[in-house]
Amino acid sequence: MSVVGIDLGFLNCYIAVARSGGIETIANEYSDRCTPACISLGSRTRAIGNAAKSQIVTNVRNTIHGFKKLHGRSFDDPIVQTERIRLPYELQKMPNGSAGVKIPSFFTDAERRSVMAAAQVAGLNCLRLMNETTAVALAYGIYKQDLPPLDEKPRNVIFIDMGHSAYQVSVCAFNKGKLKVLATTFDPYLGGRNFDEALVDYFCEEFKTKYKINVKENSRALLRLYQECEKLKKLMSANASDLPLNIECFMNDLDVSSKMNRAQFEQLCASLFTRVEPPLKAVMEQANLQREDISSIEIVGGATRIPAVKEQITKFFLKDISTTLNADEAVARGCALQCAILSPAFKVREFSITDLVPYSITLRWKTSFEDGTGECEVFCKNHPAPFSKVITFHKKEPFELEAFYTNLHEVPYPDPRIGSFTIQNVFPQSDGDSSKVKVKVRVNIHGIFSVASASVIEKQNVEGDHSDAPMETETSFKNESKDDVDKMQVDQEEGGHQKCHAEHTPEEEIDHTGTKTKSAPSDKQDRLNQTIKKGKVKSIDLPIQSSLCRQLGQDLLNSYIENEGKMIMQDKLEKERNDAKNAVEEYVYDFRDKLGTVYEKFITQEDLNKLSAILEDTENWLYEEGEDQPKQIYVDKLQELKKYGQPIQMRYMEHEERPKALNDLGKKIQLVMKVIEAYRNKDERYDHLDPADVEKVEKYISEAMSWLNSKMNAQNKLSLTQDPVVKVSEIVAKSKELDNFCNPIIYKPKPKVEVAEDKAKANSEHNGPMDGQSGTETKPDTTKDSSQHTKSSGEMEVD
């Protein structure tokens, strides 16, 4: 099972894999760990990543990139319309109103659900959507060995991430085995591409004056200028001197050139650099921290490499910036670590993570008053997440809760609605009073809001025999206790290894007026006792009908999954077709080249002319009517060519390998003949051999020599253009046959002969002491030997 973390950026993406040796950022088929977030659509297939990026200029209208900001937005959204102006390809309005095709911390519910749906379409089991700055903080903190203990003051670290399209800042508190995000701020419309656009606008005006061309009217020329300006920006980060900008055949067959240095660039982008400080100031205010409370400042993201950006950060904090993290890969590595923590396949050091809610979430509902509404802020900005709350309503009929964001002024977003949730099957109590309805709202591990459950508390009066009282007590206790336990279990399930918020946050129960009641465990027990005295209650789960804003319907999502499967299969079939076509083309070029060199002596002139014509016709066919043919046509064409080429290739290979095979067989025959000759000369090494077996070997060798000589004589009479009389495989088989027949006979080992001394010793032991010797004298000193043996053995054990 693979455990991966994916950093899907606006411009590029990185994928990190959790393995037994740690976290590794993997490379793509181009051996590059950075893969462009780009897709190029062809008539038959798709190109993804590097292959797609190479087609941005040549296939402008069908190459999709820069789609990250389109997640979860409607086609009429002002942000989509703004992005639409920048994109060289067309966006089409879908039937459901969507704009089509790691996440930033400022993503809303609709955007998060859109990413989850995209992961589902891609066949990924998404364990968690993780805020980018939180992923960076995890990658930073999990390896730190010097973090303060839990009972000491935490270490506060600022994380700054400026990528290609967005700027995010968060402050995190670290203790040993614990990470808590204190606050996060952002500017979703400040990033590397803003600096690129400033350069593009500058050079467009210069070229308009200098060369009388309007670059923005030509989408291909504009894309090339964007690419060159991005390169120039990176060069200016490392060099302060004048740097040239040269583009050949830029537009209307014109070559354009210009130059710029870092000082000009900083002056040109001065208004952008002033936007770096406000999020830094805001995050410190929200976290109630001073500059002295910050122990380190970590920066990631490609745009943080710009010297002026670093200067603004240093100027605000009056501290040096740390660059210990990999600016490009830190997010992916943090996501992979979180995935490993949540996965049962890996054992990771215990590390709790407490994230936060980026926006305030409010619920609104209708009240019993005429045209009246009630509101309750269930989650404030920077509230810990994941988290659950229980809200109590007193209702006589089904009611609808509308959830929406209340501080989206930070991010221009025209529709603050999250969705509506209708609590059904609500009726008055038997005595006519309003029913007590408990609604559990939740922000889950992905940062997505939902109404998790709803239940009505039905009162049941105690009547008759008092023997039912113990049962009432048990039921009442179970109901209240179960609700509390469920609340804790939900937080634990959603947070993985995250600590349960009920451990350090008092339980909040909110009534329909919006009043919050904080209760300690002792208060809880008092309420349980009161419930026991009054009578028994029954909790009944209520159905909830959800209507989420810009939520993909399940039928539409299933159709996307089905279409993706079809496209994957089409890509596979197209790859096989292209491979078959390339095999034909490769065979034509390779064989034609060899016909003029190594194969020249193995084909007659007549056959050479005929085969050359066939190869030329095949080449012309490939670039004409054979340009777009089914896979089987190419397979058949290759087999047809091999019918002509294989005999020539076979004659060449036989000619090259035959001498070695003949030489090996000849050596083996000579070796066996030498053994036979030594046997005839009474060599003691072979005097144990059976004469009948030697006779068989001699006969076999005679036949083998006769076979070898006849084949060689017949082969020598043939020209190189004729098929060989004997193939190398036959010679090799004859050689193996010789080994199998002769070797067991000529290399038969001699029988073992007992040594005379062994016989004498055996006789001595059998007959006892010899004359003139006593048994005591001949007995060896076993005590001494045993002692030496024991000592030696002990020394070996020590070693």
Side-chain angles (χ1 to χ4, degrees), residues 149-307:
L150 293 175
D151 55 350
E152 293 186 8
K153 184 179 179 182
R155 178 184 301 174
N156 299 319
V157 181
I158 295 284
F159 294 96
I160 300 171
D161 178 6
M162 185 181 288
H164 190 68
S165 66
Y167 171 42
Q168 303 171 72
V169 183
S170 71
V171 56
C172 302
F174 289 94
N175 288 95
K176 190 172 183 180
K178 181 180 178 181
L179 154 65
K180 183 178 182 181
V181 183
L182 301 179
T184 180
T185 55
F186 32 76
D187 185 342
Y189 306 105
L190 176 63
R193 71 168 178 168
N194 298 91
F195 301 104
D196 295 344
E197 287 171 354
L199 290 173
V200 167
D201 291 340
Y202 173 82
F203 287 118
C204 281
E205 290 298 321
E206 181 179 331
F207 293 160
K208 191 173 185 178
T209 305
K210 188 175 180 180
Y211 298 102
K212 310 299 181 186
I213 56 175
N214 190 347
V215 179
K216 294 188 176 181
E217 291 180 352
N218 189 316
S219 57
R220 284 187 173 85
L222 187 61
L223 281 171
R224 289 188 65 190
L225 184 59
Y226 265 103
Q227 292 175 346
E228 293 300 323
C229 287
E230 184 184 356
K231 295 177 185 176
L232 181 63
K233 177 190 68 177
K234 293 177 180 179
L235 290 172
M236 285 190 293
S237 297
N239 300 278
S241 57
D242 287 345
L243 295 171
L245 176 76
N246 299 311
I247 310 176
E248 295 181 355
C249 298
F250 178 61
M251 187 176 169
N252 301 335
D253 294 330
L254 284 174
D255 298 340
V256 297
S257 62
S258 185
K259 64 179 180 178
M260 181 172 281
N261 57 42
R262 187 190 295 173
Q264 291 175 293
F265 171 69
E266 291 177 354
Q267 184 178 359
L268 184 68
C269 302
S271 61
L272 296 175
F273 292 129
T274 58
R275 292 168 60 182
V276 173
E277 184 177 325
L280 302 177
K281 185 177 180 181
V283 80
M284 296 295 287
E285 291 175 353
Q286 292 177 20
N288 295 320
L289 295 175
Q290 302 298 321
R291 290 185 177 92
E292 299 77 24
D293 300 326
I294 304 301
S295 61
S296 179
I297 304 160
E298 298 286 338
I299 60 172
V300 296
T304 56
R305 294 187 175 99
I306 299 174

Side-chain angles (χ1 to χ4, degrees), residues 538-657:
K538 183 179 180 182
S539 177
I540 303 173
D541 291 336
L542 300 177
I544 303 170
Q545 183 179 357
S546 302
S547 177
L548 300 172
C549 293
R550 294 171 298 280
Q551 169 78 7
L552 284 178
Q554 190 60 45
D555 292 340
L556 187 60
L557 183 60
N558 290 338
S559 70
Y560 288 163
I561 295 172
E562 183 180 353
N563 289 336
E564 174 64 16
K566 290 178 180 178
M567 285 191 284
I568 291 173
M569 183 57 65
Q570 177 64 29
D571 292 343
K572 181 181 178 182
L573 294 175
E574 184 64 15
K575 182 180 183 301
E576 292 176 355
R577 190 187 74 87
N578 285 330
D579 289 345
K581 180 183 177 182
N582 293 337
V584 175
E585 187 177 29
E586 181 182 359
Y587 190 85
V588 169
Y589 290 144
D590 181 64
F591 208 87
R592 185 165 55 190
D593 178 62
K594 290 181 178 179
L595 280 177
T597 54
V598 294
Y599 293 166
E600 186 177 9
K601 296 184 286 186
F602 301 92
I603 184 172
T604 62
Q605 188 62 40
E606 181 181 354
D607 291 341
L608 176 62
N609 295 335
K610 181 180 178 181
L611 185 54
S612 297
I614 292 174
L615 293 174
E616 185 176 355
D617 291 343
T618 303
E619 181 183 10
N620 295 333
W621 175 83
L622 280 171
Y623 296 110
E624 294 173 359
E625 59 187 64
E627 175 71 24
D628 188 11
Q629 294 291 333
K631 171 188 172 183
Q632 192 57 43
I633 297 295
Y634 295 120
V635 173
D636 295 341
K637 181 66 72 173
L638 182 60
Q639 293 300 320
E640 182 182 347
L641 291 176
K642 286 184 176 181
K643 288 180 182 179
Y644 296 100
Q646 279 182 341
I648 303 168
Q649 186 178 8
M650 183 269 293
R651 290 196 288 268
Y652 168 74
M653 296 300 295
E654 290 289 329
H655 178 76
E656 291 294 314
E657 297 176 4

Side-chain angles (χ1 to χ4, degrees), residues 308-377:
V309 173
K310 294 181 181 178
E311 184 180 342
Q312 290 287 327
I313 298 171
T314 304
K315 182 180 177 182
F316 177 81
F317 286 106
L318 304 176
K319 253 177 204 180
D320 291 335
I321 295 172
S322 173
T323 55
T324 56
L325 293 171
N326 187 312
D328 298 317
E329 302 174 8
V331 175
R333 294 176 67 86
C335 289
L337 280 166
Q338 173 66 95
C339 195
I341 290 172
L342 297 177
S343 171
F346 287 85
K347 185 177 180 181
V348 185
R349 179 188 306 152
E350 185 177 350
F351 201 85
S352 70
I353 304 166
T354 304
D355 212 329
L356 48 75
V357 180
Y359 308 107
S360 298
I361 300 176
T362 298
L363 284 181
R364 178 185 295 151
W365 61 90
K366 290 184 179 180
T367 64
S368 57
F369 301 103
E370 185 177 355
D371 296 328
T373 58
E375 284 187 3
C376 172
E377 185 183 80

